[in-house]
Amino acid sequence: MTTQRTEPDLLYSEEEEALRAAVRDLLTDHCDAAGVIARSESDAPHDMQLWKLLADGMGLAGLLVPEDRGGQGASHREAAVVLEELGRAVAPVPYLTSAVVATEALLACDDSAELLARLASGRTIGALAVALHLAPGAAFPAVRLEDGVLHGELTGIADASAADVLLVPADDGGLYAVERDAVTVVPQVSLDLTRPVARVRFEGAAGRRLGDAEPAVRRALLSAAGLLASEQLGLADWSLTETVRYLKERKQFNRPVGGFQALKHRLAQLWLEVAGLRAAARGAADALATGEDVDVAVAVAQAYAAPVAVRAAEEALQLHGGIGMTWEHPVHLYLKRAKADSVAYGTAGAHHGALAELVDLQAP
């Protein structure tokens, strides 16, 4: 007996649209561009008050956690909608790293119930101590376990400065929970000022073994890569929408700049690419939610998402003219996020290669 595969559902449900509206309203009120820019210039780039509203007030930190384990019992589709809106606002909150990556890693571990409930409540922020650039299935560095404590250094850890607990792979094959106070976090230069990375040093840090690192890290990075496409969709959609709005208002030779045919063609092409990105991102979110053809859907989404998001942000910067080049205009935040996302959880090239292997389409 063969099981017939269901077609992916790329449309948004009424509940998902209601969730989008609620998140967008909250971000409109509490995440304005000027505030994000000001925060990015400070020593505290993360907006912890906004995180509290999203996680504690709306319960969004526990979307991927089953109800019997302290979460909301939703799916990757709902988490994808949240990430679209966070991408539209370049919100400086550790949602992807804590509510998706760390949470997915914990869901693959046997001894994680208490910590998982803490992350689902939003009162504890977690971060997986694996470099941001690593793709699903890639080899990852591990720290040394010696006499029951951890030694070593890991670099490129996203949102480590905001985390209360780090999930750390060790050389015995285990994944360990380490409290933030037990390690030294040294900020590294990050292109994306709203998602800082850091070097984490372990000098005899105590940790509690949660489970096996390899399956936990793979699950976490696969979900991260798939849902990152929704964040990239959000920032690409904002870039397109704001550029169209600006070109309708900006006048040259006593006519709206958007009326010039050359610009119409550029925007029409960009609209088609963003529409394709939406289909790819929704396909990845649906696959993660249903468990069908996950590897292929994620590879397709990430192979397509990064170039489109970067091009959308670049077009926004250029077509806004002189004002787009200023620090006060938020478009530079979107371009930096798009560029940083283009190497997060695997480059487009890495995902092209993974997709070729998955569908047995080898290069000549």
Side-chain angles (χ1 to χ4, degrees), residues 55-145:
D56 194 15
M58 297 186 68
L60 300 182
L63 283 181
L64 297 180
V65 181
E67 290 183 86
D68 60 1
R69 302 183 73 175
Q72 302 299 320
S75 76
H76 298 81
R77 292 176 59 94
E78 288 79 15
V81 169
V82 174
L83 281 164
E84 280 185 45
E85 293 307 310
L86 295 178
R88 285 183 62 88
V90 245
V93 292
Y95 187 85
L96 180 64
T97 47
S98 183
V100 175
V101 182
T103 295
E104 287 279 17
L106 290 176
L107 286 169
C109 295
D110 296 327
D111 188 19
S112 62
E114 180 269 338
L115 182 54
L116 188 61
R118 283 165 52 193
L119 260 63
S121 72
R123 296 183 178 88
T124 295
I125 297 172
L128 181 64
V130 171
L132 181 63
H133 72 277
L134 290 178
F140 50 88
V143 296
R144 188 174 77 259
L145 179 67

Side-chain angles (χ1 to χ4, degrees), residues 43-48 51 92-95 97-98 122-127 157-166 180 185 194-198 200:
D43 295 329
H46 295 97
D47 189 339
M48 301 315 297
W51 169 255
V93 292
Y95 187 85
T97 47
S98 183
R123 296 183 178 88
T124 295
I125 297 172
I157 310 303
D159 291 336
S161 59
D164 301 302
V165 62
L166 295 163
R180 166 70 171 76
V185 176
T194 63
R195 181 175 287 147
V197 296
V200 182

Side-chain angles (χ1 to χ4, degrees), residues 49-357:
Q49 182 60 35
L50 176 60
W51 169 255
K52 184 177 181 181
L53 292 172
L54 290 165
D56 194 15
M58 297 186 68
L60 300 182
L63 283 181
L64 297 180
V65 181
E67 290 183 86
D68 60 1
R69 302 183 73 175
Q72 302 299 320
S75 76
H76 298 81
R77 292 176 59 94
E78 288 79 15
V81 169
V82 174
L83 281 164
E84 280 185 45
E85 293 307 310
L86 295 178
R88 285 183 62 88
V90 245
V93 292
Y95 187 85
L96 180 64
T97 47
S98 183
V100 175
V101 182
T103 295
E104 287 279 17
L106 290 176
L107 286 169
C109 295
D110 296 327
D111 188 19
S112 62
E114 180 269 338
L115 182 54
L116 188 61
R118 283 165 52 193
L119 260 63
S121 72
R123 296 183 178 88
T124 295
I125 297 172
L128 181 64
V130 171
L132 181 63
H133 72 277
L134 290 178
F140 50 88
V143 296
R144 188 174 77 259
L145 179 67
E146 186 177 302
D147 298 327
V149 293
L150 302 173
H151 300 269
E153 181 177 281
L154 297 171
T155 61
I157 310 303
D159 291 336
S161 59
D164 301 302
V165 62
L166 295 163
L167 309 181
V168 186
D171 60 3
D172 70 336
L175 187 69
Y176 288 79
V178 179
E179 297 297 321
R180 166 70 171 76
D181 295 341
V183 302
T184 301
V185 176
V186 181
Q188 294 179 282
V189 177
S190 175
L191 176 63
D192 181 4
L193 302 176
T194 63
R195 181 175 287 147
V197 296
R199 176 182 294 109
V200 182
R201 294 174 181 158
F202 301 83
E203 299 167 335
R208 180 172 67 86
R209 185 180 172 114
L210 303 168
D212 295 334
E214 197 281 329
V217 170
R218 172 171 169 72
R219 174 173 176 166
L221 296 186
L222 188 64
S223 291
L227 293 183
L228 179 66
S230 291
E231 177 181 287
Q232 292 165 306
L233 168 61
L235 71 87
D237 190 58
W238 179 92
S239 300
L240 174 61
T241 301
E242 285 302 304
T243 302
V244 170
R245 182 192 61 77
Y246 177 75
L247 293 183
K248 285 180 178 179
E249 297 175 354
R250 177 84 167 102
K251 291 188 176 181
Q252 194 174 71
F253 307 116
N254 203 33
R255 60 179 290 191
V257 174
F260 292 101
Q261 189 175 39
L263 297 188
K264 284 183 179 181
H265 286 171
R266 287 170 65 172
L267 292 171
Q269 179 61 37
L270 187 58
W271 183 89
L272 289 172
E273 293 177 12
V274 173
L277 172 52
R278 177 171 286 104
R282 292 302 294 168
D286 188 68
L288 286 164
T290 61
E292 295 189 6
D293 291 340
V294 177
D295 292 332
V296 170
V298 169
V300 168
Q302 272 308 310
Y304 189 79
V308 174
V310 170
R311 205 174 87 77
E314 288 176 342
E315 287 284 76
L317 181 69
Q318 186 176 46
L319 295 179
H320 271 80
I323 192 174
M325 302 291 177
T326 64
W327 182 262
E328 290 75 15
H329 196 280
V331 71
H332 67 90
L333 296 175
Y334 291 84
L335 180 56
K336 291 170 183 174
R337 172 69 70 88
K339 293 291 284 185
D341 281 356
S342 71
V343 296
Y345 307 117
T347 62
H351 287 283
H352 273 292
L355 180 60
E357 289 189 12

